[in-house]
């Protein structure tokens, strides 16, 4: 059984170690040391960890989507690291369609208000629903040869709510489905 004195000594040792690790260095970043999470710590909560991991995968997904659409052969993108199932299939097919028409997308997307609205960590496949505002106003469709903008409908939504399903695979969290909601945000 751990006594309060042992816990105090352990915490003191960790604090001292952290203080030593921040001493002068040769331009290298100091490594922060913190005590192991306790049962009441938010990082020990599987749902909170799943939410953080799902959001991280979702952000990576959109970074890779930008690369996929910006490159005629998509070689610079590693979308499979962040997408699977219908989301991967649909993104690859849509990017290929655009590229076959001589179109690229430059610039980027912006994600705001990313929130996990539902999380299930106890099912056969842990999953989460991520809601966000997707801003594509700076993601420009251009002619691949001239790099000049291609006209788009004036009334198209450029900032809209999107729901995405993110599932935990053995390799990590993957976006498996996107559902644009057709609503401004």
């Amino acid at each position: 059984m751990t006594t309060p004195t042992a816990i105090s000594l352990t915490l003191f040792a960790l604090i001292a170690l952290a203080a030593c690790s921040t001493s002068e260095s040769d331009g290298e970043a100091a490594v922060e040391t913190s005590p192991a999470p306790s049962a009441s710590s938010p990082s020990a909560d599987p749902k909170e960890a799943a939410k953080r991991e799902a959001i991280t995968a979702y952000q990576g997904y959109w970074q890779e989507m930008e690369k996929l659409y910006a490159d005629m052969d998509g070689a610079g993108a590693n979308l499979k690291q962040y997408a699977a199932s219908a989301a991967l299939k649909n993104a690859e097919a849509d990017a290929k369609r655009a590229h076959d028409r001589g179109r690229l997308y430059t610039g980027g997307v912006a994600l705001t208000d990313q929130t996990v609205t539902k999380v299930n960590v106890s099912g056969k496949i842990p999953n989460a629903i991520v809601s966000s505002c997707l801003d594509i106003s700076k993601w420009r469709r251009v002619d691949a040869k001239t790099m000049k903008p291609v006209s788009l409908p004036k009334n198209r939504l450029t900032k809209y709510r999107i729901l995405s399903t993110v599932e935990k695979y053995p390799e990590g969290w993957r976006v498996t489905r996107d559902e644009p909601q057709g609503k401004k945000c």
Side-chain angles (χ1 to χ4, degrees):
M1 175 180 273
T2 306
T3 65
T5 304
I7 292 172
S8 296
L9 288 173
T10 302
L11 287 175
F12 179 75
L14 287 172
I15 291 169
L17 180 62
C20 291
S21 71
T22 60
S23 64
E24 294 180 62
S25 63
D26 300 332
E28 294 180 21
V31 176
E32 240 180 81
T33 308
S34 61
S38 67
S40 63
S41 171
S43 60
D45 180 355
K47 284 188 175 186
E48 289 304 313
K51 288 178 182 181
R52 281 191 309 275
E53 292 168 10
I55 292 285
T56 298
Y58 181 72
Q59 292 168 338
Y61 168 75
W62 280 105
Q63 289 172 348
E64 294 304 314
M65 289 281 276
E66 289 175 358
K67 293 175 189 175
L68 177 67
Y69 281 82
D71 184 2
M72 285 301 275
D73 61 9
N78 189 11
L79 193 60
K80 289 180 182 177
Q81 183 177 348
Y82 298 100
S85 193
L88 178 61
K89 181 181 169 185
N90 294 339
E92 289 177 336
D94 190 49
K96 182 178 181 336
R97 236 182 340 273
H99 297 155
D100 288 349
R101 293 180 180 139
R103 305 291 187 248
L104 293 175
Y105 287 75
T106 62
V109 299
L111 301 167
T112 57
D113 302 328
Q114 299 166 64
T115 307
V116 174
T117 60
K118 183 177 178 186
V119 65
N120 176 359
V121 294
S122 61
K124 184 177 178 181
I125 300 174
N127 61 77
I129 304 296
V130 177
S131 172
S132 72
C133 180
L134 183 65
D135 180 353
I136 60 170
S137 62
K138 293 186 176 31
W139 207 20
R140 305 279 185 223
R141 185 167 68 167
V142 299
D143 182 280
K145 290 181 183 174
T146 66
M147 296 306 284
K148 291 186 178 181
V150 174
S151 64
L152 294 167
K154 300 281 185 210
N155 62 346
R156 74 185 180 104
L157 282 177
T158 59
K159 293 180 184 177
Y160 54 90
R161 179 77 34 216
I162 187 167
L163 294 178
S164 298
T165 303
V166 186
E167 296 179 349
K168 187 173 184 180
Y169 282 53
E171 306 81 27
W173 288 85
R174 303 291 190 266
V175 175
T176 58
R177 185 177 30 207
D178 280 327
E179 297 177 32
Q181 300 299 293
K183 297 176 186 175
K184 287 183 181 182
C185 55

